[in-house]
Amino acid sequence: MGLAARTDGDGGRARRSPSEMPAVRWLLLFLLVDIGAAQVDDDFIGLGELPETFPSDPPEPLPVFLMEPEEAYIVKNKPVNLYCKATPATQIYFKCNSEWVHQKEHTVEERVDENSGLVVREASIEITRQQVEELFGPEDFWCQCVAWSSAGTTKSRKAHVRIAYLRKTFDQEPLGKEVSLDQEVLLQCRPPEGIPAAEVEWLKNEEVIDPADDRNFYITIEHNLIIKQARLSDTANYTCVAKNIVAKRRSTTATVIVYVNGGWSTWTEWSVCNSRCGRGYQKRTRSCTNPAPLNGGAICDGQAIQKLPCNPLCPVDGLWTEWSKWSTCGTECTHWRRRECNAPAPKNGGKDCEGMVLQSKNCTDGLCMQSSLYQKSSEAKDESDFGNSLAPSTDDVALYVGIVIAVIMCLVISVVVALFIYRKNHRDFNSDIIDSSALNGGFQPVSIKTARKAELLTAPPDLTSAAAMYRGPVYALHDVGDKIPMTNSPLLDPLPNLKIKVYNSSGLVTPQDDLGGEFSSKLSPKLPHCLLDNSDTTMGRRTQTQTLLRTRDPSCTALGSFSSQGGHLIVPNSGVSLLIPAGAIPQGRVYEMYVTVQRKDNLRPLVDDGQTVLSPVVSCGPPGALLTRPVIITMHHCAVCDGQQDWLIQLKSQTPQSQWEDIVVVGEENFTTPCYIQMDDEACHILTETLGTYCLVGQSLSASTTKRLKLAIFGPVTCPAMEYHIRVYCLDDTQDALKEVLQMEKQMGGKLLDEPKTLNFKDSTHNLRLSIHDVPHMVWKSKLLAKYQELSFQQVWSGSQRNLHCCFTLERFSASTVDLACKICVRQVEGEGQIFQLDTTLSEDSQSIDTSLLDPASNITTLVGPNAFRIPVSIRQKLCGSLDAPQTRGNDWRMLAHKLNLDRYLNYFATKSSPTGVILDLWEAQHFPDGNLSRLAQVLEEMGRHDSLVPTVTEH
């Protein structure tokens, strides 16, 4: 019975099939006959000798599968093996497609389970590709495992065996698209048919897209890619990849371009009428920069310039009327006539009439002498009497003569005194000091005239008179009013020798006429050792300083004399300044200091591949001056520092031998570095106690490293020739670079054709491409043979070539053509770009340079004393006294640095005698000239230290 038992397909209890019933009947019949025979025998033996029950073994359970065959795929021609394992099992075999697999094709292993003591059987078979292919019918090839025990049979689940494949052609491939910014993008992909079904992934520029990392991407269940809001960074090549165990298929690449349509900026204010009198016009402009079109985005629709006619009233100068008739002869022997200024009267700002309104003359032909002094007789009171002319008395004549003599004597004495003072002052360096600050002990800008060198060599300085006149600080002798016209003289003409006065506590003053030869013999023995050292190094430094100042560009230099009260030197319109904090110069001394921007190519540091000059070369001095606290040099830079890991920025300094050496790497300052650098978005601030020549140099660390370029387009103001030249400058985005080009174009007679624009330039080794578009070909033609011009990547990236530019030449067909409208595109290949909309008039007599682009707060070059700082001295003293001492709550100078984002390297401030003072100095440099004291008060209030500042700010 046990051998005939079987289970159903679900592995249930054993059931008997109808085909097995005849065999069972015969077996039962045989057993009954056998039992009957045994009973007959028992009758002879005797029933009383047989036991009532017989012992038997426990029933055996149905087989249970420990391992069932798994789904399998045949790859190419490699066969697959199917496995199964069951216990307890007396036999185990495979059945494939309802047919038993021959016993020879099985591999069977048998063992006894140590824990249960039951027999465990394991079987495996091999299925080949041929066996699967020979099957005909709608059902896939399948195999099933069957196990037997004495309790019955158990069947495993069916395991299908299929031939794996993946077709080459996608049912649907993604298509490239051009979409606007923030638009949703759908890229569809239906992978090729395959067994097993292919898995799908998306690549963006050959990198796998993971929606978990970037939630702007979403992959649907149908394998489509959705970009929720298109960003500029989503401009890329997208590929759909399908793969299974057989192969990997790639779709065609779909390029998605995210473009930005141009938008107009707001209109500028209307300009003044270009005609002072009569018919003219006003204009206002706007630019397609809000935003600028990118990646083929639409150019702004409409006009960039609007003009309105204007007709200002012409000024009318006043003219006299005819003279009136003479009046009757009066008692003074004169008669009068008059005229009026109303023929016409002046109006609209016209000039008044010049001359007399009244005219008088003797009317008696000399018969009656006219007196210079008229009196009415006190005795003649008859109203009918017109009076007589009185002759002057002898006393009156004496009085008049005395007054005249007194006036003449006063004038003579005044001239003598003025001449004496003039000569006396000119013996001391032959210069005039105009300094009201000597009266009140303050520090104000001074006006000083340049000395004549011949008299300096012959007339020794009068030291005693200088000391007797004023024991306090005295200022440098140079005239800030002396200006060199940019259009009439070269930019780099040598200027007069710089004279440095050094004062000590005794009040003695020593001029420095020449920094060579006899310098040390002319100086007072009481001067500081740092300025009197006769060593070769010191003399070389002085010679270098003198050479530097003689060749400086006056528009790039600021000079001033400073005492311990400190001050500020600002180079106009260059983003370069030198802040001298109060207390940096030793008490009782006055230094004449300078800061200048070096523009000569031979003074710029040489850079290696991958390096770029990020800032102008800035010199400050005098070198070797003794400073008791750090000064702050501020200069603009062109590095985009969003990711600090993209740049390795070094501060370099020039040695007295004109060699450049590395001073510090930004972010790697330590106790041994001589300075500290605070990097802002557009400017850097160098805290140092050593005056010299500095420059920032950057090393690129990745292809995404970016520097800012400033693009500026110039053309001639007027163009009498048929050719018109457009110059496109690609400069480092620093104020001084743009200032230099503006000065150069002013001398050349050029004008800006559009507002300068900023371009982010990446270290991708791609060139900068410049092209001109939309030239009106009916009246103009371009002489450029190619479609575009290119500046090599190394030229642009290194920053070592100043005033880098390209030129487009256009030719007009007729001299009567005076209007030009076109577009110029400047972009990095496979990078960002800018488009300029040009609309200019060739014959327009306008200002050659738009000075509104320059910083308006730039005329001031020297600020001396407390007026140079935003924070009053009383507030600074309270803050330093309150915050320098460590606090248990931590609301001391460290929290102040954290609140002001100056806590990158706190150890630098900790080494100073007053950390708070240095932090406030850096705040002054960062926020010049419009530092917000209210914001500083708010920071202190957040720290819980508002009592130190708020009341005083209110008073201030």
Side-chain angles (χ1 to χ4, degrees):
M1 290 177 61
L3 294 176
R6 295 181 61 187
T7 61
D8 60 11
D10 297 330
R13 298 296 296 174
R15 296 182 301 176
R16 303 187 187 280
S17 62
S19 60
E20 296 174 345
M21 291 305 293
V24 172
R25 291 192 185 99
W26 284 106
L27 182 59
L28 291 174
L29 180 60
F30 174 75
L31 291 174
L32 290 174
V33 172
D34 189 22
I35 293 171
Q39 289 178 348
V40 174
D41 294 337
D42 290 340
D43 291 340
F44 293 97
I45 298 172
L47 293 175
E49 298 178 4
L50 295 175
E52 296 182 358
T53 61
F54 294 92
S56 62
D57 294 331
E60 190 176 26
L62 286 172
V64 176
F65 281 97
L66 304 178
M67 179 192 299
E68 297 187 83
E70 302 286 344
E71 301 281 334
Y73 298 93
I74 296 178
V75 179
K76 298 182 179 179
N77 292 320
K78 296 180 181 179
V80 298
N81 292 315
L82 300 181
Y83 299 91
C84 67
K85 184 190 298 183
T87 182
T90 56
Q91 292 186 21
I92 185 169
Y93 292 103
F94 274 95
K95 179 188 287 187
C96 294
N97 297 323
S98 302
E99 296 183 359
W100 293 101
V101 179
H102 196 278
Q103 184 177 2
K104 294 181 179 181
E105 298 178 8
H106 285 77
T107 300
V108 180
E109 295 181 2
E110 178 182 346
R111 64 182 179 85
V112 177
D113 186 86
E114 297 179 355
N115 297 325
S116 63
L118 300 177
V119 177
V120 177
R121 288 184 180 273
E122 181 178 352
S124 64
I125 59 172
E126 185 180 87
I127 306 298
T128 63
R129 183 186 183 98
Q130 182 180 0
Q131 291 178 267
V132 177
E133 291 178 342
E134 288 176 353
L135 175 67
F136 295 96
E139 191 175 6
D140 291 335
F141 189 94
W142 61 269
C143 291
Q144 190 178 39
C145 190
V146 182
W148 282 269
S149 71
S150 58
T153 62
T154 304
K155 296 180 180 180
S156 70
R157 64 167 176 262
K158 292 181 179 180
H160 293 86
V161 180
R162 301 180 177 89
I163 298 175
Y165 68 93
L166 183 63
R167 301 196 184 280
K168 295 183 178 180
T169 306
F170 280 74
D171 292 345
Q172 183 174 9
E173 293 187 297
L175 301 176
K177 296 183 178 182
E178 293 185 0
V179 297
S180 62
L181 194 66
D182 295 330
Q183 181 181 339
E184 183 180 273
V185 183
L186 172 63
L187 298 178
Q188 294 181 321
C189 176
R190 291 173 57 191
E193 179 186 351
I195 294 178
E199 298 178 358
V200 175
E201 64 182 12
W202 283 88
L203 303 181
K204 174 184 176 183
N205 290 337
E206 302 304 320
E207 294 184 2
V208 178
I209 296 175
D210 186 358
D213 294 338
D214 191 342
R215 297 187 178 275
N216 198 41
F217 293 106
Y218 176 71
I219 300 177
T220 66
I221 195 172
E222 294 87 8
H223 311 301
N224 298 327
L225 177 64
I226 295 177
I227 304 176
K228 299 177 183 178
Q229 287 184 317
R231 305 162 296 192
L232 288 176
S233 60
D234 294 329
T235 298
N237 295 323
Y238 293 85
T239 308
C240 181
V241 178
K243 59 182 178 180
N244 64 5
I245 60 176
V246 179
K248 183 177 183 179
R249 311 291 185 203
R250 293 169 57 96
S251 70
T252 56
T253 298
T255 301
V256 174
I257 298 177
V258 181
Y259 61 84
V260 178
N261 291 325
W264 289 113
S265 64
T266 57
W267 288 102
T268 61
E269 296 293 333
W270 287 103
S271 65
V272 297
C273 191
N274 69 329
S275 175
R276 183 173 176 267
C277 169
R279 197 173 172 187
Y281 67 88
Q282 296 173 278
K283 70 176 182 179
R284 64 175 183 173
T285 61
R286 59 179 179 175
S287 59
C288 189
T289 57
N290 189 30
L294 288 176
N295 297 334
I299 305 298
C300 301
D301 187 16
Q303 295 181 342
I305 299 179
Q306 282 186 347
K307 295 184 178 181
L308 284 180
C310 54
N311 192 11
L313 298 176
C314 296
V316 178
D317 295 336
L319 295 177
W320 293 110
T321 60
E322 295 293 333
W323 287 102
S324 65
K325 293 182 180 181
W326 289 101
S327 66
T328 58
C329 193
T331 58
E332 297 85 4
C333 303
T334 59
H335 61 174
W336 306 83
R337 67 175 180 176
R338 67 179 297 123
R339 59 181 177 176
E340 302 291 339
C341 185
N342 57 8
K347 61 181 179 179
N348 301 329
K351 297 180 180 178
D352 289 332
C353 301
E354 295 183 357
M356 298 183 297
V357 178
L358 294 176
Q359 189 181 36
S360 66
K361 71 176 181 177
N362 193 297
C363 58
T364 61
D365 294 330
L367 297 179
C368 176
M369 296 303 295
Q370 184 177 3
S371 173
S372 62
L373 181 63
Y374 294 93
Q375 296 180 346
K376 263 193 173 180
S377 174
S378 60
E379 300 177 354
K381 300 189 178 179
D382 189 355
E383 294 181 359
S384 63
D385 187 4
F386 292 100
N388 296 317
S389 177
L390 300 178
S393 65
T394 304
D395 295 338
D396 293 336
V397 173
L399 176 62
Y400 301 150
V401 172
I403 293 174
V404 171
I405 294 176
V407 170
I408 293 175
M409 290 299 295
C410 289
L411 291 176
V412 171
I413 293 173
S414 299
V415 171
V416 171
V417 171
L419 182 61
F420 176 76
I421 295 175
Y422 180 82
R423 294 294 297 274
K424 181 179 180 180
N425 289 343
H426 274 63
R427 282 186 302 172
D428 186 6
F429 304 110
N430 191 23
S431 46
D432 295 335
I433 302 178
I434 304 173
D435 186 11
S436 61
S437 63
L439 301 178
N440 53 27
F443 290 83
Q444 301 296 335
V446 297
S447 178
I448 302 160
K449 295 183 179 178
T450 307
R452 291 189 296 272
K453 187 173 183 180
E455 294 183 10
L456 282 176
L457 298 177
T458 58
D462 186 355
L463 304 182
T464 58
S465 62
M469 288 171 55
Y470 178 48
R471 293 287 181 175
V474 183
Y475 298 100
L477 303 181
H478 48 215
D479 187 359
V480 297
D482 292 343
K483 302 295 182 181
I484 296 181
M486 294 302 300
T487 56
N488 298 329
S489 66
L491 290 178
L492 299 178
D493 276 351
L495 296 182
N497 295 347
L498 175 67
K499 296 177 298 183
I500 299 178
K501 282 188 176 181
V502 182
Y503 297 82
N504 54 26
S505 59
S506 66
L508 294 180
V509 56
T510 302
Q512 180 184 343
D513 293 334
D514 189 2
L515 293 178
E518 300 178 358
F519 171 74
S520 59
S521 63
K522 294 183 180 181
L523 291 178
S524 168
K526 296 183 179 181
L527 292 180
H529 181 269
C530 66
L531 296 178
L532 289 175
D533 187 5
N534 291 324
S535 65
D536 294 339
T537 303
T538 305
M539 293 305 297
R541 182 165 56 246
R542 290 176 183 144
T543 304
Q544 180 189 10
T545 305
Q546 180 69 3
T547 303
L548 169 71
L549 293 177
R550 284 179 176 175
T551 60
R552 72 184 184 273
D553 183 348
S555 67
C556 303
T557 304
L559 294 158
S561 294
F562 300 93
S563 70
S564 60
Q565 290 185 334
H568 211 152
L569 284 174
I570 306 102
V571 179
N573 310 318
S574 65
V576 175
S577 65
L578 174 65
L579 182 110
I580 304 102
I585 297 175
Q587 190 72 28
R589 297 184 185 178
V590 174
Y591 292 167
E592 182 169 293
M593 306 184 73
Y594 66 87
V595 60
T596 185
V597 181
Q598 305 292 347
R599 287 182 174 174
K600 289 188 176 181
D601 288 331
N602 59 356
L603 295 178
R604 297 169 70 86
L606 299 177
V607 295
D608 300 329
D609 291 341
Q611 289 185 333
T612 177
V613 178
L614 296 176
S615 73
V617 178
V618 177
S619 297
C620 56
L626 175 64
L627 299 174
T628 56
R629 63 184 301 166
V631 297
I632 301 176
I633 306 169
T634 297
M635 64 178 76
H636 272 208
H637 67 82
C638 59
V640 178
C641 299
D642 293 339
Q644 291 290 343
Q645 67 276 7
D646 292 340
W647 281 107
L648 179 69
I649 299 177
Q650 293 177 315
L651 178 67
K652 290 180 175 287
S653 177
Q654 193 175 37
T655 64
Q657 292 76 27
S658 299
Q659 300 295 323
W660 287 93
E661 61 181 6
D662 297 338
I663 299 299
V664 65
V665 176
V666 176
E668 297 182 7
E669 294 91 340
N670 53 46
F671 288 104
T672 63
T673 52
C675 58
Y676 170 80
I677 302 175
Q678 175 66 32
M679 294 290 294
D680 293 342
D681 290 340
E682 296 182 354
C684 72
H685 310 278
I686 304 169
L687 284 76
T688 180
E689 297 179 18
T690 305
L691 301 178
T693 301
Y694 295 98
C695 181
L696 282 183
V697 174
Q699 174 73 47
S700 171
L701 299 181
S702 69
S704 61
T705 306
T706 305
K707 66 181 289 188
R708 294 188 312 274
L709 301 181
K710 181 68 73 175
L711 308 176
I713 299 184
F714 290 84
V717 175
T718 58
C719 183
M722 301 298 286
E723 291 185 349
Y724 187 80
H725 302 283
I726 301 174
R727 294 177 293 277
V728 184
Y729 289 85
C730 305
L731 315 168
D732 290 342
D733 187 16
T734 62
Q735 281 191 19
D736 183 72
L738 181 59
K739 172 185 174 181
E740 182 180 5
V741 172
L742 289 171
Q743 291 175 338
M744 183 178 65
E745 285 289 337
K746 182 177 181 180
Q747 291 181 335
M748 296 169 56
K751 67 174 181 179
L752 274 170
L753 301 182
D754 198 357
E755 294 183 5
K757 302 180 187 294
T758 301
L759 174 69
N760 287 335
F761 190 79
K762 290 189 176 181
D763 183 19
S764 60
T765 71
H766 291 298
N767 296 341
L768 192 67
R769 182 172 295 175
L770 302 91
S771 55
I772 188 167
H773 307 273
D774 299 345
V775 177
H777 297 290
M778 299 299 293
V779 291
W780 290 89
K781 72 173 181 179
S782 173
K783 303 192 73 174
L784 182 66
L785 299 179
K787 292 183 178 180
Y788 53 82
Q789 301 184 65
E790 282 194 352
L791 294 173
S792 70
F793 169 81
Q794 189 59 32
Q795 279 182 299
V796 180
W797 183 259
S798 66
S800 57
Q801 185 172 350
R802 295 163 43 250
N803 305 333
L804 185 65
H805 70 279
C806 282
C807 184
F808 292 94
T809 302
L810 302 179
E811 184 178 1
R812 51 182 171 172
F813 298 134
S814 171
S816 61
T817 302
V818 295
D819 294 325
L820 173 62
C822 62
K823 297 174 184 175
I824 289 183
C825 178
V826 183
R827 68 183 303 163
Q828 186 180 16
V829 179
E830 298 187 12
E832 292 189 14
Q834 289 284 9
I835 295 178
F836 291 84
Q837 179 73 46
L838 306 187
D839 192 347
T840 185
T841 301
L842 275 62
S843 61
E844 183 179 353
D845 187 12
S846 61
Q847 189 178 6
S848 60
I849 294 294
D850 185 4
T851 56
S852 64
L853 291 171
L854 302 179
D855 183 4
S858 60
N859 295 328
I860 300 175
T861 60
T862 306
L863 296 173
V864 183
N867 292 334
F869 307 102
R870 288 287 296 158
I871 305 175
V873 176
S874 59
I875 294 180
R876 173 183 288 270
Q877 291 174 349
K878 288 185 178 181
L879 288 176
C880 294
S882 176
L883 300 180
D884 280 346
Q887 300 291 326
T888 55
R889 293 189 300 166
N891 57 345
D892 49 21
W893 64 268
R894 293 166 296 181
M895 182 177 291
L896 177 64
H898 175 72
K899 292 287 186 179
L900 298 179
N901 296 322
L902 303 177
D903 57 344
R904 180 175 61 80
Y905 183 61
L906 290 176
N907 289 337
Y908 177 82
F909 303 108
T911 59
K912 305 304 175 185
S913 59
S914 176
T916 307
V918 179
I919 292 171
L920 295 179
D921 293 339
L922 185 52
W923 182 89
E924 292 271 8
Q926 280 185 308
H927 298 87
F928 177 81
D930 52 358
N932 190 347
L933 287 181
S934 299
R935 171 57 185 154
L936 186 58
Q938 182 181 352
V939 168
L940 292 168
E941 187 172 2
E942 293 174 359
M943 294 172 56
R945 307 301 293 269
H946 58 279
D947 55 313
S948 301
L949 182 63
V950 174
T952 316
V953 170
T954 305
E955 296 171 6
H956 180 69

